[in-house]
Amino acid sequence: MFEKVKNKSMNILWVYVAIMIPMWGVFLINNVALNGAFSQFGGVFPRTFSMTGFSGIFTSWAFHANWQHIIGNTQILLTLLFFVSLIEKNPLSMIISLIGVSGFFTWLFGAPHTMHIGASGLVFALMGYLFASIILARRWIYIVALFIMGADYWY
């Protein structure tokens, strides 16, 4: 019993470390220390066939425009990452896959001649994963997560 709690706690900790530290680190270095100098290199440029266009698929989640943007994404990500880490066996690989998938679909369907940044794609991918898990895999425990997030949003 204690071993299982320890493993789940480590999952949650590693996911937070792997997602939150790079996200906040990139934001603080880019927006505070460098005054946004690297913003044009980290975003998704839809349907642009260049190295910056493709690299943004995997890096855009770490770049944010301002304090409200990163704080808003952090609030919902803390909850989503907690529940996914608590329930999934290998949450970090699943989250990295969702980053790639959401970045690719942003690249494929995003507005032309724009740059997309922020972890909102990851947030929506995680929400879609929760809904799909409830409906397709009948993981009813995710309903509890959605109720808690809904109550938090309503409050």
Side-chain angles (χ1 to χ4, degrees):
M1 172 74 173
F2 180 72
E3 190 67 31
K4 191 172 184 176
V5 171
K6 180 182 169 188
N7 289 340
K8 290 298 180 179
S9 299
M10 290 305 293
N11 275 351
I12 295 166
L13 177 68
W14 281 115
V15 166
Y16 280 159
V17 165
I19 300 298
M20 291 300 166
I21 289 177
M23 189 172 83
W24 275 91
V26 167
F27 176 77
L28 292 173
I29 291 169
N30 185 42
N31 291 17
V32 176
L34 300 176
N35 202 22
F38 287 120
S39 292
Q40 69 271 15
F41 298 113
V44 174
F45 298 91
R47 293 172 300 287
T48 301
F49 293 96
S50 67
M51 187 50 107
T52 56
F54 289 123
S55 67
I57 290 172
F58 300 101
T59 61
S60 65
W61 66 273
F63 286 84
H64 290 80
N66 53 40
W67 288 99
Q68 293 86 4
H69 190 199
I70 194 165
I71 289 171
N73 279 331
T74 298
Q75 288 173 334
I76 191 68
L77 272 177
L78 286 173
T79 306
L80 286 169
L81 293 174
F82 175 79
F83 285 117
V84 168
S85 300
L86 192 64
I87 297 168
E88 293 299 319
K89 289 181 181 166
N90 194 356
L92 196 53
S93 65
M94 188 266 306
I95 291 166
I96 291 169
S97 299
L98 289 178
I99 287 171
V101 169
S102 68
F104 174 73
F105 278 105
T106 302
W107 180 84
L108 191 61
F109 296 113
H113 310 295
T114 60
M115 179 182 69
H116 299 265
I117 58 172
S120 299
L122 176 59
V123 168
F124 285 111
L126 285 167
M127 291 291 284
Y129 181 81
L130 289 176
F131 283 121
S133 293
I134 292 169
I135 294 168
L136 301 175
R138 290 187 166 78
R139 291 185 174 172
W140 303 113
I141 191 71
Y142 280 133
I143 290 177
V144 174
L146 293 176
F147 278 132
I148 290 172
M149 287 186 308
D152 182 45
Y153 179 75
W154 176 73
Y155 176 71

